[in-house]
């Protein structure tokens, strides 16, 4: 009897340690804490419309792009990141809307592609930046897409660089779980044309997907929603078979209305897709890339820089030509 009592005492005494070691559960579903998605009042499309009221393209861009809820991207250009992220989610919260933010500042960003090269100056600098990002959001409801391209961009990286990147992403997820309990974070998983589902499942898991709410697909790309949904389901089958869990996913539909022509950098003939919504074959369909913003100095955006708003590209994308 005494042995059983001692065993019970020992078990109870260890309970707080077990609870402390468990990953923190998100307090609530941010989609039920808000009433619809937040439309960035200072997006590049919105600014262009405001400064070009007499342009013949303005009505179409205003009606179809500028007022559609779209993510805001945060990086080195954002200034003090905790203040910037906090102001953005605070403005959305005041309107009872759900903001979508993109964290795009990882060390050695776009290491292989190069069009969007940059990011934090070191892994330590990134850890500090992302901790401030999460702290700025705090307990307000939000969706964060974490580091687009980071898990697809392995082709020219050494194993040491890959390990370093995965460690940065895992650390970022830890910070969001610690500081931003009402934020759903989606670890970016590239797109179906980049890596096999089996390869991507392994990369996601090694980068800490178990800590994330889910994964994101098709960011800044053009592949159809159906192609991405099939790929997301295939990734989940791999995750289930190999690691024993699955995750919800979101799809960037901002520019996939005509699907892909096989090119990823400012291809012609693309079209805007389904506006941001819950469901649609994924957990959410989101406009993550702003239609009309350049992918870089390429394609129909020759002479532009990544992120620059190109009104002619935006206008043609409304109609698909």
């Amino acid at each position: 009897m005494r042995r059983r009592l001692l065993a019970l005492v020992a078990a109870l005494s260890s309970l707080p340690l077990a609870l402390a070691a468990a990953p923190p559960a998100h307090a609530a579903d941010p989609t039920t804490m808000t009433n619809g998605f937040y439309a960035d009042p200072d997006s590049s499309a919105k600014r262009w419309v405001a400064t070009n009221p007499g342009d013949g393209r303005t009505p179409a861009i205003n009606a179809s792009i500028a007022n559609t809820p779209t993510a805001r991207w945060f990086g080195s250009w954002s200034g003090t990141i905790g203040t910037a992220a906090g102001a953005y989610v605070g403005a959305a919260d005041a309107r009872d809307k759900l903001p979508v933010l993109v964290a795009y500042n990882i060390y050695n960003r776009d290491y292989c592609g190069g069009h969007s090269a940059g990011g934090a100056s070191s892994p330590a600098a990134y850890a500090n930046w992302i901790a401030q990002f999460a702290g700025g959001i705090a307990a307000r409801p939000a969706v964060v897409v974490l580091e687009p391209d980071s898990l697809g961009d392995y082709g020219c990286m050494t194993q040491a660089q890959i390990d370093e990147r995965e460690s940065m992403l895992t650390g970022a997820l830890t910070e969001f779980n610690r500081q931003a309990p009402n934020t759903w974070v989606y670890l970016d998983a590239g797109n179906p044309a980049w890596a096999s589902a089996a390869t991507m499942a392994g990369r996601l898991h090694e980068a800490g997907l178990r800590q994330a709410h889910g994964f994101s697909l098709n960011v800044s790309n053009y592949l159809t929603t159906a192609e991405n949904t099939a790929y997301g389901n295939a990734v989940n089958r791999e995750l289930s078979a190999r690691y024993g869990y699955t995750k919800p996913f979101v799809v960037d539909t901002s520019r996939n209305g005509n699907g892909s022509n096989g090119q990823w950098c400012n291809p012609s003939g693309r079209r805007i897709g389904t506006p941001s919504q819950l469901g649609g074959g994924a957990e959410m369909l989101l406009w993550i890339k702003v239609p009309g913003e350049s992918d870089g100095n390429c394609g129909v955006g020759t002479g532009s820089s990544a992120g620059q708003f190109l009104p002619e590209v935006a206008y043609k994308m409304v109609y698909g030509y």
Side-chain angles (χ1 to χ4, degrees), residues 160-212:
Q161 289 171 323
I162 290 169
D163 293 345
E164 180 179 69
R165 176 167 291 184
E166 290 173 347
S167 178
M168 285 186 281
L169 292 169
T170 301
L173 292 169
T174 299
E175 286 299 328
F176 282 105
N177 282 334
R178 185 173 70 86
Q179 297 193 73
N182 297 314
T183 294
W184 278 357
V185 181
Y186 296 88
L187 183 56
D188 190 64
N191 62 72
W194 208 339
S196 71
T199 296
M200 186 51 67
R203 292 178 183 179
L204 284 164
H205 181 73
E206 292 299 321
L209 178 65
R210 198 185 288 273
Q211 290 188 73

Side-chain angles (χ1 to χ4, degrees), residues 64-304:
S64 297
I65 296 176
N67 292 297
T68 301
T70 310
R72 179 180 286 191
W73 294 55
F74 291 82
S76 58
W77 57 86
S78 301
T80 303
I81 187 58
T83 302
Y88 191 65
V89 297
D93 193 39
R95 292 162 177 79
D96 195 30
K97 297 295 183 183
L98 179 60
V100 180
L101 301 82
V102 180
Y104 197 54
N105 197 42
I106 201 163
Y107 172 63
N108 274 340
R109 189 183 67 216
D110 199 16
Y111 190 71
C112 301
H115 283 289
S116 299
S121 59
S122 67
Y126 180 70
N128 181 59
W129 185 88
I130 204 72
Q132 291 182 47
F133 191 130
I137 295 173
R140 289 168 294 201
V143 166
V144 170
V145 176
L146 184 60
E147 301 299 341
D149 305 343
S150 58
L151 295 182
D153 193 32
Y154 278 12
C156 65
M157 296 171 69
T158 66
Q159 188 58 50
Q161 289 171 323
I162 290 169
D163 293 345
E164 180 179 69
R165 176 167 291 184
E166 290 173 347
S167 178
M168 285 186 281
L169 292 169
T170 301
L173 292 169
T174 299
E175 286 299 328
F176 282 105
N177 282 334
R178 185 173 70 86
Q179 297 193 73
N182 297 314
T183 294
W184 278 357
V185 181
Y186 296 88
L187 183 56
D188 190 64
N191 62 72
W194 208 339
S196 71
T199 296
M200 186 51 67
R203 292 178 183 179
L204 284 164
H205 181 73
E206 292 299 321
L209 178 65
R210 198 185 288 273
Q211 290 188 73
H213 177 74
F215 57 95
S216 53
L217 296 172
N218 205 49
V219 174
S220 300
N221 213 288
Y222 303 87
L223 296 160
T224 65
T225 302
E227 288 173 294
N228 279 283
T229 298
Y231 181 71
N233 290 335
V235 169
N236 268 329
R237 286 193 295 272
E238 293 288 340
L239 289 169
S240 177
R242 292 159 63 181
Y243 309 113
Y245 68 93
T246 62
K247 291 287 184 176
F249 59 88
V250 297
V251 177
D252 184 356
T253 54
S254 59
R255 308 188 296 179
N256 75 348
N258 276 350
S260 172
N261 67 355
Q263 303 299 312
W264 65 268
C265 200
N266 295 322
S268 62
R270 301 311 94 206
R271 191 169 193 165
I272 58 174
T274 305
S276 297
Q277 64 172 61
L278 298 175
E283 184 165 49
M284 291 184 265
L285 306 181
L286 299 173
W287 277 25
I288 298 173
K289 174 77 170 182
V290 178
E293 284 192 357
S294 176
D295 296 318
N297 180 15
C298 52
V300 295
T302 297
S304 67

Side-chain angles (χ1 to χ4, degrees), residues 48-49 52 54-62 310-313 315-316:
W48 184 86
V49 163
N52 294 275
D55 193 293
R57 300 166 294 189
T58 295
I61 293 173
N62 186 54
L310 306 174
E312 185 65 13
V313 171
Y315 179 73
K316 289 181 176 178

